[in-house]
């Protein structure tokens, strides 16, 4: 038990999917998992454990943003002993070659967050995905004919920028292809505690072309992302 989680050790599988939205955790459990059991509901940040293709796997909501994700991830690793953590969610697009509904596999995660700077002094630590998980996700996406891009993701602490916002400045010119708000903290904690992490996002609104996914397409695209994440998680 922790201040944010009433599960007991063993309630979670070794691998977990991490959506930000608690209702998306519920949707994943109810739609994809067999024998899904609610293991956490503190603050309504719902967590479930069930099976996917006969193998045990969990899903736990993290809330939006790096501070919230960091609480859940720190506890999942250090209190519950989880070894594989895969964030699933939505992101914005920062490159026109990424079309809405495409998947982005965050190979690395750049950030404006103090949470990643907190102990590196003059060094800019590079938060990266676990190569094995990234390779498995790319191979499975390829085999399934999914449209995906592996690249550098921006994990920003800001959703609404102040006036004079310069479109993330030079980042898109340096290969940053998407923006969300959690991956960098996930990768930094995974590196700190020696576990595996990956982020798979569905691009839902392009900040370059201003194309957006429409509501009913949203769920279909999310199914592709969740199926891929579950296959990687249980491999
Ligand atoms: N900054 C930001 N910008 C765009 Cl264009 C986003 N599209 C999806 N997200 C994700 O969705 C939530 C914000 O709506 C966050 O959890 C974030 O990870 C985005 N976050």
């Amino acid at each position: 038990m922790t201040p944010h989680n009433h599960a007991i050790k063993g309630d979670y599988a070794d691998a977990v999917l991490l959506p930000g939205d608690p209702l998306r955790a519920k949707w994943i459990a109810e739609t994809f998992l067999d024998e899904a059991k609610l293991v956490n509901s503190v603050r309504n940040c719902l967590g479930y454990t069930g099976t996917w293709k006969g193998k045990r796997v969990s899903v736990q909501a993290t809330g939006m943003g790096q501070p919230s994700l960091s609480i859940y991830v720190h506890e999942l690793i250090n209190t519950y002993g989880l070894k594989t953590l895969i964030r699933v969610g939505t992101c914005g697009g920062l490159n026109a070659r990424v079309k809405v509904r495409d998947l982005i596999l965050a190979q690395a995660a750049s950030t404006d967050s103090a949470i990643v700077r907190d102990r590196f002094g003059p060094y800019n630590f590079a938060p990266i995905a676990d190569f094995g998980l990234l390779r498995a996700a790319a191979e499975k996406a390829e085999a399934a004919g999914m449209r995906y891009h592996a690249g550098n993701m921006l994990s920003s602490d800001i959703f609404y920028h102040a006036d004079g916002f310069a479109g993330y400045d030079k980042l898109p010119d340096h290969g940053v292809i998407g923006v969300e708000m959690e991956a960098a903290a996930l990768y930094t904690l995974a590196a700190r505690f020696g576990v595996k992490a990956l982020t798979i996002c569905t691009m839902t609104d392009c900040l370059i072309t201003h194309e957006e996914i429409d509501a009913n397409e949203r769920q279909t695209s999310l199914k592709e992302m969740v199926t891929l994440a579950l296959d990687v998680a249980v491999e």
Side-chain angles (χ1 to χ4, degrees):
M1 312 269 272
T2 77
H4 314 94
N5 197 325
H6 59 55
I8 56 173
K9 196 159 164 55
D11 281 350
Y12 286 97
D14 287 347
V16 65
L17 265 57
L18 299 169
D21 179 355
L23 293 181
R24 190 161 292 148
K26 184 169 186 289
W27 172 71
I28 291 171
E30 291 173 348
T31 310
F32 294 86
L33 303 188
D34 292 322
E35 306 123 53
K37 186 166 96 38
L38 180 71
V39 296
N40 183 39
S41 57
V42 172
R43 294 174 178 250
N44 250 355
C45 231
L46 302 175
Y48 300 83
T49 296
T51 59
W52 168 255
K53 297 182 179 174
K55 294 183 181 169
R56 210 161 167 257
V57 65
S58 296
V59 54
Q60 172 60 55
T62 62
M64 290 191 285
Q66 306 200 83
S68 181
L69 172 132
S70 297
I71 292 173
Y72 292 94
V73 165
H74 185 104
E75 293 175 354
L76 288 169
I77 297 168
N78 291 289
T79 306
Y80 298 100
L82 272 65
K83 301 292 180 215
T84 300
L85 299 95
I86 302 178
R87 161 163 157 69
V88 288
T90 57
C91 70
L94 290 178
N95 186 304
R97 69 180 160 83
V98 181
K99 309 297 180 198
V100 286
R101 292 183 301 285
D102 286 3
L103 298 181
I104 293 183
L105 310 181
Q107 186 176 351
S110 304
T111 189
D112 51 10
S113 175
I115 212 158
V116 171
R117 282 196 300 272
D118 85 82
R119 63 174 67 182
F120 296 106
Y123 302 101
N124 291 311
F125 175 70
I128 60 169
D130 173 80
F131 177 69
L133 294 181
L134 179 67
R135 177 171 55 188
E139 287 172 353
K140 291 174 189 303
E142 199 85 43
M146 297 176 185
R147 277 183 55 87
Y148 78 96
H149 310 264
N152 200 337
M153 179 79 88
L154 170 63
S155 302
S156 178
D157 279 355
I158 304 162
F159 187 86
Y160 293 107
H161 289 265
D163 302 342
F165 167 58
Y168 298 119
D169 203 33
K170 299 283 180 292
L171 290 172
D173 301 339
H174 286 72
V176 176
I177 55 175
V179 51
E180 46 86 77
M181 300 178 77
E182 291 86 18
L186 170 61
Y187 290 177
T188 302
L189 290 173
R192 184 168 303 160
F193 298 119
V195 299
K196 298 177 180 179
L198 176 66
T199 292
I200 305 175
C201 286
T202 297
M203 198 281 269
T204 54
D205 44 323
C206 181
L207 303 187
I208 309 297
T209 65
H210 305 296
E211 193 191 358
E212 289 185 353
I213 199 168
D214 71 40
N216 51 32
E217 284 177 317
R218 202 178 183 89
Q219 212 68 316
T220 319
S221 320
L222 294 175
K223 278 191 174 177
E224 193 175 71
M225 169 183 70
V226 172
T227 304
L228 177 61
L230 286 167
D231 282 341
V232 173
V234 301
E235 184 166 79

